[in-house]
Amino acid sequence: MKSTARAPANIAFIKYWGKKDSRLRLPLNSSLSMNLGSAYTTTTVESSERLKEDAVSMVDAQISLSEIGRMRNHIDFIRNTFHQAHHVKVVTKNSFPKSTGLASSASGFAALTVAACTALDLHISEKELTILARLGSGSACRSIPDGYVLWEEGNSTETSFAHSLYPASYWRLHDIIAVVDNTSKDVSTAEGMSTMKTSPFWKTRIDSIPRRLAVVKDALKKKNIKALGEMIEAECLNMHAVMMTQEPPLVYLSGKTVECIKSVWQWRKDGLPVYFTIDAGPNVHLICEEPVADEVQKRALSISGVKQVINNSVSGGTQRISDHLF
Ligand code: DP6
């Protein structure tokens, strides 16, 4: 049986940085994100009794042995959980070139989870799919439901799942990614967040999340870009302050990142309502409403260190599609 799934990457407004259980990938806090329409992974999985072992490959890009290992472990986990025996062939492809440095474990594990479960003929709910995807990579659970998604931290594997707060059609926000560096990061997110409690600020950050989350939820409800934007900037800088004060320190931002941040502040002074957020890397996500997206894209391209921009509008969640990769 063959199945293909297409999963969006997502950008977190309230970030996931730190786990309370690393084996179960239970996060220290709930997080909230938006799915991205132009940055997605397509994965085809075929299961068959004829296959003697699992095979994983990527179209148009190299895939590292550790990435292959992580995907094979995830497939093993799904197969063992549901007492399935067949081996699988997996082919995966990103919409964004690997050279953008945006290779996303979120879209990758969301697409793999949905395609593998369908190919293994498992009929499970969206909630269960988010739980399984979370076990592959935490942020992947947020790429399965539609639009604006909340990952409830929970305190067990069954209670740590993601669900849609609003569909993509509710509010057409854009995330214009300014790519300033296309090398892949030296320290993975899993490794980086494993030492987050060495920062003297980690507890203050975690204690502040319920209030931050409430502000973001309220801003989404009211479609208030100013309230949303101010909070996502503060939240992103808060996470990076923890990263930078960990031992050893983690500085994902580059000089060009800081230049983009300052440009955003200047554009706002000039009357353009755009806000930034940044994940575990130097690239800057510019969040704005649809009517100003083209202007934001034009300005981002005019910053000298910006190599490429990817203009995403908010999108639905992971879809099963009939266009197989093999
Ligand atoms: C900074 O989901 O990649 O992007 O669960 O260890 O695979 P693992 O981590 P991952 O972490 C994402 C961290 C972040 C913030 C976020 O997306 O919420």
Side-chain angles (χ1 to χ4, degrees), residues 178-236:
V179 178
V180 296
D181 186 346
N182 48 27
T183 54
S184 57
K185 47 185 172 247
D186 315 332
V187 181
S188 71
T189 45
E191 192 186 338
M193 71 173 84
S194 70
T195 52
M196 70 84 82
K197 287 190 177 173
T198 58
S199 164
F201 306 134
W202 79 268
K203 182 93 174 45
T204 318
R205 164 167 173 73
I206 298 302
D207 289 346
S208 73
I209 296 281
R211 183 187 58 84
R212 292 166 184 274
L213 200 50
V215 171
V216 168
K217 279 185 177 173
D218 189 60
L220 280 176
K221 186 173 169 192
K222 295 176 179 152
K223 300 184 189 173
N224 181 338
I225 187 70
K226 183 168 187 290
L228 177 75
E230 286 174 357
M231 182 46 81
I232 67 176
E233 285 190 1
E235 162 62 5
C236 148

Side-chain angles (χ1 to χ4, degrees), residues 1-3 44-48 50-51 87-89 119 326:
M1 200 158 153
K2 198 185 265 190
S3 164
T44 299
V45 178
E46 182 180 33
S47 78
S48 162
R50 287 179 289 105
L51 294 167
H87 284 292
V88 294
K89 175 177 173 183
F326 64 91

Side-chain angles (χ1 to χ4, degrees), residues 139-207:
S139 56
C141 70
R142 298 190 311 240
S143 287
I144 291 181
D146 188 2
Y148 299 92
V149 178
L150 179 66
W151 171 12
E152 310 269 6
E153 59 176 285
N155 49 24
S156 62
T157 202
E158 297 76 25
T159 52
S160 188
F161 63 93
H163 59 93
S164 177
L165 289 177
Y166 298 102
S169 56
Y170 174 73
W171 190 14
R172 304 303 306 176
L173 288 183
H174 280 240
D175 172 6
I176 292 149
I177 308 174
V179 178
V180 296
D181 186 346
N182 48 27
T183 54
S184 57
K185 47 185 172 247
D186 315 332
V187 181
S188 71
T189 45
E191 192 186 338
M193 71 173 84
S194 70
T195 52
M196 70 84 82
K197 287 190 177 173
T198 58
S199 164
F201 306 134
W202 79 268
K203 182 93 174 45
T204 318
R205 164 167 173 73
I206 298 302
D207 289 346

Side-chain angles (χ1 to χ4, degrees), residues 10-12 14-17 19 25 31 70 105-106 134 136-140 142 151 189-191 193 239 243 278-280:
N10 67 72
I11 182 68
I14 297 293
K15 309 287 191 186
Y16 151 51
W17 191 251
K19 299 178 175 83
R25 278 197 157 77
S31 55
R70 207 169 147 186
S105 63
R134 187 201 81 229
S137 179
S139 56
R142 298 190 311 240
W151 171 12
T189 45
E191 192 186 338
M193 71 173 84
M239 177 182 74
M243 291 168 160
I278 303 154
D279 276 345

Side-chain angles (χ1 to χ4, degrees), residues 287-314:
I287 309 295
C288 63
E289 291 182 286
E290 190 145 79
V292 298
D294 287 347
E295 177 62 22
V296 171
Q297 172 164 351
K298 201 175 92 200
R299 293 204 194 186
L301 278 168
S302 75
I303 299 175
S304 68
V306 172
K307 296 182 198 299
Q308 183 188 351
V309 301
I310 302 173
N311 187 345
N312 299 278
S313 61
V314 56

